[in-house]
Amino acid sequence: MKTKIANIILILLVLSSCSPSDLAYKDYLLYLNNPDNGLIKERQANDIVLKLKYLPIDYLVHQDLKKDGIVETEIRDSLEEVYGNSLTFLLNISPKSGKQGRNDNSVMFKGIDGIESYKNRAIQMNFSMSEFLSLRNKNGEIAPVLCNMENTYDVSTSRSIYVVFSKEMVDRELKKEDWEFVYEDQLFETGIHVFSFDKDDIAQAPVIEYN
Amino acid sequence: MLLIRRLSYPPLYMKLNIVSIIISLLTLGILLFITFFNKPSSSDVVFVRSQVVFEQYDGMKEAMRVFQEKKASWQSNLDTLNADYQKAISAYNLESIKLPDSEKIAREEVLKRQYQNVSKYAQMLEEKAGDEDQMLTQGVLNQIDEFIKEYAQKKGYKIVMGTTNSGNVLYGDESLDITDELLDALNKNYHK
């Protein structure tokens, strides 16, 4: 009898310790955007907010499928294979205060003293961000293979940059251990930012439930 | 009768004694209350040894490391240019005896331009190093400022003062020094 009770308690403990697996899309987004789950980080300095979000493979696949309205398993599997070769992050830079929605509060104009400064900022954010971003741990440091700033057509005061690292390089150079995402800010006087990611948080990210 | 009267109505001096005892007790009670229950909060105003925080903050150490690496790279480029110039000078000195005057003048002109380019590059690097140093330092200060704001609000501090070499805080009791706890929290936040 005692053994049975102990076994039941053990099973209940094991079940309760399991992280969520399949989630509906809305719940999945809530999970991703909850800082307690370790996939989104935030820093603030000099009236600027930096948000870094890890984008799991499932999320990227869903974005593609949603765009085309496709839910076929074969296409999903092939997209997972494609996205599985990379590690993708979204770095969002936004003003902390000021009237939201106003163009003059945009991060593109923050601290700018003329057209030359604006031009340099636009060029750096569009073409040179990979020089100031990296993934590292005690084993090494790697640069992204792709950085792409989203075009917001000036409807947003913030700017988002997709940062992609090669999974193969991450596994080879960083040896599958916890790593830090480093951003050396050259534009907004916020200094160097280090965002630590636990590989277990990445591995435990849930999958999206497709109906 | 008189005795009964005396016992029922205490004399004036006894009334005064009772009143003064009551007043004394009340005063003592108020003083005790002020002493033990109404102390000004020791966490309202605290201070930080700014220089210690600045030097031992991991963000500052990282910024210094990055700056030194860049400076070393720029210096290496400048050394290469200098070495090329010195080589060109040595070659000219060896060959100038055999050269006609016109060619000597032409070679000297080239060397002069090379020297000016190296000097301009060195000057540009000095300005760039100054700008980079200032930018990295300002970034670190902005990070520390932001963190102290959040930390003070979380801990309920009304004022956080910083000690500087010029002596803004001439003395502070150890119990008000939050340097170590702030530095610990600041460094943990840097690697979060």
Side-chain angles (χ1 to χ4, degrees):
Chain A
M1 184 64 183
K2 278 186 189 171
T3 320
K4 270 189 191 167
I5 293 169
N7 284 338
I8 290 166
I9 292 169
L10 189 64
I11 289 165
L12 285 170
L13 274 171
V14 166
L15 286 173
S16 67
S17 69
C18 289
S19 52
S21 50
D22 287 33
L23 290 178
Y25 184 61
K26 276 183 191 164
D27 295 326
Y28 183 84
L29 287 180
L30 286 171
Y31 182 93
L32 272 196
N33 291 311
N34 183 350
D36 294 337
N37 294 323
L39 301 179
I40 187 168
K41 315 272 179 183
E42 186 177 304
R43 294 282 189 278
Q44 293 182 18
N46 198 27
D47 209 35
I48 294 281
V49 180
L50 297 168
K51 271 193 199 153
L52 180 70
K53 197 193 298 190
Y54 169 70
L55 302 180
I57 297 166
D58 232 50
Y59 174 83
L60 296 167
V61 167
H62 186 271
Q63 293 300 102
D64 254 352
L65 294 176
K66 192 172 74 173
K67 213 168 41 184
D68 299 328
I70 303 167
V71 197
E72 286 167 28
T73 313
E74 280 166 8
I75 297 175
R76 218 167 78 206
D77 288 345
S78 69
L79 280 174
E80 277 176 10
E81 210 178 300
V82 166
Y83 285 116
N85 292 325
S86 59
L87 232 60
T88 308
F89 296 86
L90 185 67
L91 175 66
N92 179 272
I93 306 172
S94 57
K96 185 173 171 186
S97 56
K99 286 195 178 154
Q100 296 303 318
R102 280 183 61 119
N103 206 29
D104 54 1
N105 191 42
S106 166
V107 285
M108 296 305 292
F109 298 103
K110 215 149 184 66
I112 290 292
D113 56 12
I115 190 72
E116 212 47 51
S117 306
Y118 176 80
K119 203 171 71 175
N120 290 337
R121 181 171 290 183
I123 289 172
Q124 192 181 114
M125 288 183 80
N126 275 289
F127 305 112
S128 311
M129 285 300 278
S130 55
E131 291 174 30
F132 309 106
L133 297 164
S134 63
L135 266 191
R136 73 173 186 205
N137 60 17
K138 64 177 194 293
N139 300 312
E141 188 165 0
I142 60 172
V145 293
L146 176 70
C147 284
N148 182 40
M149 186 167 81
E150 247 183 351
N151 193 348
T152 61
Y153 302 98
D154 284 338
V155 295
S156 170
T157 53
S158 68
R159 289 294 182 273
S160 294
I161 299 157
Y162 284 93
V163 186
V164 182
F165 296 89
S166 154
K167 183 94 179 14
E168 192 223 325
M169 271 174 77
V170 170
D171 291 342
R172 191 180 68 230
E173 303 292 328
L174 306 185
K175 313 248 188 295
K176 297 187 184 183
E177 291 181 19
D178 296 344
W179 22 259
E180 296 174 330
F181 182 108
V182 183
Y183 170 41
E184 185 193 322
D185 175 30
Q186 293 271 321
L187 302 169
F188 305 103
E189 286 186 336
T190 63
I192 299 174
H193 301 275
V194 176
F195 305 88
S196 299
F197 284 88
D198 190 329
K199 64 180 186 330
D200 291 337
D201 290 337
I202 305 280
Q204 283 168 16
V207 294
I208 298 172
E209 191 182 64
Y210 290 92
N211 295 325
Chain B
M1 195 69 174
L2 198 59
L3 182 64
I4 292 166
R5 240 181 114 187
R6 236 183 225 173
L7 290 170
S8 305
Y9 299 101
L12 186 61
Y13 73 88
M14 279 181 76
K15 276 188 194 174
L16 286 173
N17 273 344
I18 293 166
V19 167
S20 60
I21 289 168
I22 291 170
I23 289 172
S24 305
L25 283 172
L26 269 173
T27 310
L28 185 65
I30 289 167
L31 282 171
L32 282 170
F33 178 80
I34 290 169
T35 309
F36 292 106
F37 296 107
N38 201 31
K39 263 195 314 195
S41 166
S42 62
S43 64
D44 278 355
V45 180
V46 291
F47 72 91
V48 159
R49 284 168 280 136
S50 310
Q51 199 62 26
V52 171
V53 171
F54 190 69
E55 284 170 2
Q56 294 186 24
Y57 173 40
D58 286 348
M60 185 62 201
K61 291 179 192 170
E62 174 118 36
M64 287 312 301
R65 183 188 61 79
V66 165
F67 178 66
Q68 292 303 331
E69 277 174 12
K70 283 183 180 173
K71 216 170 136 188
S73 163
W74 298 331
Q75 188 61 45
S76 165
N77 292 343
L78 185 60
D79 290 345
T80 305
L81 287 174
N82 261 329
D84 287 343
Y85 174 67
Q86 293 303 328
K87 227 189 276 186
I89 290 266
S90 301
Y92 171 74
N93 287 337
L94 277 171
E95 291 158 17
S96 64
I97 305 162
K98 300 170 211 168
L99 292 172
D101 284 345
S102 57
E103 211 174 308
K104 257 196 233 179
I105 293 170
R107 287 277 289 264
E108 280 169 12
E109 209 46 47
V110 168
L111 285 171
K112 198 171 147 187
R113 271 203 305 274
Q114 196 173 357
Y115 174 75
Q116 281 170 354
N117 286 342
V118 174
S119 300
K120 225 188 271 180
Y121 187 72
Q123 199 183 4
M124 187 202 74
L125 280 188
E126 208 178 304
E127 279 172 24
K128 194 171 174 180
D131 290 344
E132 186 79 17
D133 186 20
Q134 195 194 1
M135 188 186 61
L136 285 171
T137 306
Q138 190 57 52
V140 169
L141 289 173
N142 287 335
Q143 285 182 3
I144 293 173
D145 280 348
E146 185 71 37
F147 184 81
I148 288 178
K149 218 187 312 178
E150 285 172 15
Y151 190 78
Q153 281 169 4
K154 198 166 82 171
K155 291 281 194 172
Y157 302 135
K158 294 273 190 316
I159 296 175
V160 178
M161 301 189 72
T163 63
T164 64
N165 289 338
S166 56
N168 280 349
V169 175
L170 296 176
Y171 167 75
D173 189 86
E174 257 181 36
S175 62
L176 301 178
D177 181 352
I178 63 161
T179 307
D180 294 336
E181 71 174 76
L182 177 81
L183 187 58
D184 193 47
L186 185 60
N187 282 334
K188 274 200 183 110
N189 186 65
Y190 184 71
H191 294 283
K192 209 167 55 169

